[in-house]
């Protein structure tokens, strides 16, 4: 089904019959055109393209798919208690959103999630509002991606925590001229952003009235409507972008600038991930001055630094950032500067993981061993993949020792009358690719508990300062950057490499946040095998489309058996 940007919906189209390749291509093309016009500072063209994006039916469909099928909160309703789960409901939602000018904003539903100290308030918009916010985000984000500071890494496409840590690694080298660090956190950033300053920054964006309505919509708690005079609802899809817009310009406020060759000049060097930031300064006095400048700059936006979480420290003392500990260690005999920079998992992060693993061991004592392993492995894989970019080998070894001890206690508690030799024979074994014979396994179900040390330490490549996925000239760079397969299992890795990291149905990258499945081109019930030539790695929702009653012809053609 080919789509034009301004095509209207018919009366007989079906959700599973959508060909997602042109849908994503149209949205991507419009985002790139907005980015390019913003780079050229052609605001008239930017606004024209943004209006086109807001009317674009491909944008409607892509937003509905993302909110109702991809995002983790797809089953979480707003105040209307409505969730969209069926193809027919998604079609009806698309028709409703095609008349964007008739959309009415609803208040958000207030919920609380636990945090280390106290609870964090979230505002959950309705599914319909989330879809509209995603549409607005596609129109607003590429404009700002062309203007955002290169040291901002939070909630931006193509960037993440690892980029922020790698940037700190480059700034905090042992021979650095900025050894003093202002480690700061903005207090209640989402809840306290000033609406006036934010609307001024957004300017004459075509959907500015919708954004204003979201800011003023209020929240419902215990069936009581509360007004909102400040802040953005932490739970909306557009809220992280609005936070970045509000905090844009922080680097300039600190007096930092770049030469035409890209060299940083000024006393302060900033690294920011959303509302967490670190400012590197040459002296303690300069760090104190930077704190005063930020207090004044944030005050104009209704924000302030947290007194409890803001500190000025020397790198020899170390500081924590995004779960890592960054510190200079004294090494007079092995380095020219007399110090060595080590970035390790912080003690708080390790202790939090230990508590979580310990609770899982206890909770699963009466469950089948395979259930314990299936719950543990994603925790171990996710934590080790996050911290693999730092100096984590020793930490991984200690955690494996901790897991060995917990496994021994688990075995004794399940079989108190059996001998140690019997328990070892039942629960210990080897696994393919590792010589260790003390791996915790479920031999009946062929399940293996991962070890932290199996995750290799790999340095992260820092994304260049002004690179964005919306830049059409950097297509090859982002395709190569996304081709990282080390975190995938062996069979997944082979399929990933054969398909060059792309889903054959929607032609989007396999690691775009969606769940992935293995599809058998010739079903097993028809004699299909598990050979690689008969397998395709596809997104979950694309897999559902393949097995629907009316998949597009293009989808059927792409998944025909091949001999390659």
């Amino acid at each position: 089904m080919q789509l034009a940007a301004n095509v209207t919906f018919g009366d007989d189209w079906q959700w599973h019959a959508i060909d997602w390749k042109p849908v994503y291509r149209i949205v991507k093309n419009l985002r790139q055109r907005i980015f390019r016009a913003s780079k050229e500072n052609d605001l008239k063209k930017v606004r024209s393209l943004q209006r086109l994006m807001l009317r674009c039916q491909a944008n409607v469909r892509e937003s509905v798919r993302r909110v109702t099928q991809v995002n983790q909160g797809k089953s979480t309703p707003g105040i209307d208690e409505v969730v969209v789960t069926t193809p027919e409901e998604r079609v009806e939602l698309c028709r409703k959103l095609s008349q964007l000018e008739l959309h009415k904003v609803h208040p958000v539903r207030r919920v609380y999630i636990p945090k280390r100290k106290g609870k964090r308030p979230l505002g959950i918009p309705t599914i319909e509002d989330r879809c509209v916010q995603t549409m607005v985000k596609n129109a607003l984000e590429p404009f700002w991606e062309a203007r955002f500071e290169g040291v901002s890494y939070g909630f931006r496409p193509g960037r993440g925590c690892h980029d922020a840590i790698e940037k700190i690694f480059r700034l905090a080298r042992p021979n650095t001229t900025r050894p003093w660090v202002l480690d700061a956190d903005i207090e209640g950033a989402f809840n306290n952003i000033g609406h006036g300053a934010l609307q001024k920054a957004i300017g004459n964006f075509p959907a500015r009235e919708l954004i204003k309505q979201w800011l003023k919509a209020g929240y419902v708690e215990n069936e009581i409507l509360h007004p909102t005079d400040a802040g953005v609802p932490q739970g909306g899809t557009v809220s992280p972008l609005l936070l970045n817009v509000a905090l844009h310009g922080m680097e300039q406020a600190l007096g930092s600038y770049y030469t035409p060759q890209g060299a940083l000049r000024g006393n302060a060097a900033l690294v920011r991930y959303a509302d967490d930031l670190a400012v590197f300064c040459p002296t303690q006095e300069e760090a104190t001055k930077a704190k005063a400048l930020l207090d004044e700059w944030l005050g104009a936006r209704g924000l302030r630094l947290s007194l409890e979480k803001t500190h000025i420290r020397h790198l020899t003392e170390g500081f924590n950032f995004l779960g890592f500990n960054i510190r200079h260690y004294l090494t007079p005999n092995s380095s020219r500067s007399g110090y060595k920079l080590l970035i390790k998992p912080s003690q708080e992060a390790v202790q939090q993981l230990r508590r979580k693993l310990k609770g899982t061991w206890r909770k699963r004592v009466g469950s089948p061993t395979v259930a314990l392993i299936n719950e543990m492995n994603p925790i171990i894989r996710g934590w080790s993949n996050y911290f693999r970019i730092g100096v984590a080998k020793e930490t991984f070894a200690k955690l494996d020792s901790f897991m060995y001890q917990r496994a021994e206690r688990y075995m004794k508690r399940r079989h108190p009358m059996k001998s140690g030799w019997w328990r070892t024979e039942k629960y210990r074994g080897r696994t393919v690719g590792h010589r260790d014979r003390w791996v915790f396994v479920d031999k009946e179900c062929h399940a293996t508990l991962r070890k932290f040390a199996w995750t290799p330490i790999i340095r992260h490549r820092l994304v260049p300062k002004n690179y964005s996925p919306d830049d059409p000239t950097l297509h090859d760079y982002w395709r190569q950057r996304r081709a990282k397969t080390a975190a995938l299992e062996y069979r997944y890795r082979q399929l990933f490499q054969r398909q060059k990291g792309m889903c054959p149905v929607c032609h989007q990258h396999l690691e775009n946040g969606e769940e992935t499945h293995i599809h058998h081109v010739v079903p097993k019930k028809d004699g299909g095998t598990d050979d690689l030539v008969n397998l395709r790695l596809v997104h979950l929702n694309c897999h559902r489309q393949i097995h629907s009653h009316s998949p597009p012809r293009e989808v059927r053609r792409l998944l025909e058996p091949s001999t390659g």
Side-chain angles (χ1 to χ4, degrees), residues 5-6 30 33-34 42-57 59-60 98 100-101 135-136 138-140 142-143 204-208:
N6 60 349
L30 280 175
R33 292 172 67 188
I34 294 171
D42 188 349
L43 294 183
K44 183 178 179 180
K45 187 175 182 180
V46 165
R47 300 313 181 200
S48 176
L49 290 170
Q50 287 176 331
R51 284 190 288 270
L52 181 59
M53 176 70 87
L54 292 171
R55 297 193 306 267
C56 175
Q57 300 304 320
N59 188 23
V60 174
S98 63
L100 189 61
E101 65 276 4
M135 293 168 59
V136 170
N138 278 335
L140 183 62
F143 168 78
N204 62 343
F205 174 61
R208 58 189 178 277

Side-chain angles (χ1 to χ4, degrees), residues 241-262:
L241 173 60
L242 296 180
L243 175 65
N244 279 331
V245 171
L247 297 180
H248 175 64
M250 185 180 293
E251 191 175 32
Q252 183 179 0
L254 290 169
S256 301
Y257 64 97
Y258 294 87
T259 65
Q261 292 75 30

Side-chain angles (χ1 to χ4, degrees), residues 10-62:
D11 295 328
D12 57 349
W13 67 280
Q14 298 179 351
W15 182 259
H16 286 311
I18 297 175
D19 184 356
W20 288 103
K21 181 181 177 180
V23 170
Y24 281 109
R25 186 180 65 241
I26 291 170
V27 174
K28 180 180 179 180
N29 181 52
L30 280 175
R31 285 183 63 109
Q32 290 179 346
R33 292 172 67 188
I34 294 171
F35 179 92
R36 185 165 52 240
S38 180
K39 274 286 189 183
E40 297 169 354
N41 207 28
D42 188 349
L43 294 183
K44 183 178 179 180
K45 187 175 182 180
V46 165
R47 300 313 181 200
S48 176
L49 290 170
Q50 287 176 331
R51 284 190 288 270
L52 181 59
M53 176 70 87
L54 292 171
R55 297 193 306 267
C56 175
Q57 300 304 320
N59 188 23
V60 174
R61 297 184 180 189
E62 193 268 345

Side-chain angles (χ1 to χ4, degrees), residues 32-96:
Q32 290 179 346
R33 292 172 67 188
I34 294 171
F35 179 92
R36 185 165 52 240
S38 180
K39 274 286 189 183
E40 297 169 354
N41 207 28
D42 188 349
L43 294 183
K44 183 178 179 180
K45 187 175 182 180
V46 165
R47 300 313 181 200
S48 176
L49 290 170
Q50 287 176 331
R51 284 190 288 270
L52 181 59
M53 176 70 87
L54 292 171
R55 297 193 306 267
C56 175
Q57 300 304 320
N59 188 23
V60 174
R61 297 184 180 189
E62 193 268 345
S63 300
V64 170
R65 169 170 170 155
R66 183 159 299 279
V67 171
T68 64
Q69 293 186 287
V70 178
N71 290 354
Q72 291 185 350
K74 57 183 177 291
S75 301
T76 305
I79 62 168
D80 57 359
E81 298 296 329
V82 172
V83 292
V84 177
T85 57
T86 66
E88 293 76 19
E89 291 172 340
R90 296 187 184 101
V91 170
E92 184 58 34
L93 182 58
C94 285
R95 290 198 178 100
K96 190 174 183 180

Side-chain angles (χ1 to χ4, degrees), residues 361 365-366 369 372 403-424 426-428 440:
W361 279 110
V365 166
T369 305
L372 167 71
M403 292 292 283
Y404 179 87
Q405 296 168 5
R406 296 307 310 183
E408 289 294 316
R409 296 185 62 166
Y410 171 87
M411 291 152 55
K412 290 179 181 179
R413 188 169 177 183
R414 282 184 67 104
H415 308 284
M417 305 304 294
K418 299 293 185 179
S419 66
W421 177 87
W422 186 92
R423 291 192 293 262
T424 298
K426 180 173 177 60
Y427 289 103
R428 299 293 184 185
F440 186 83

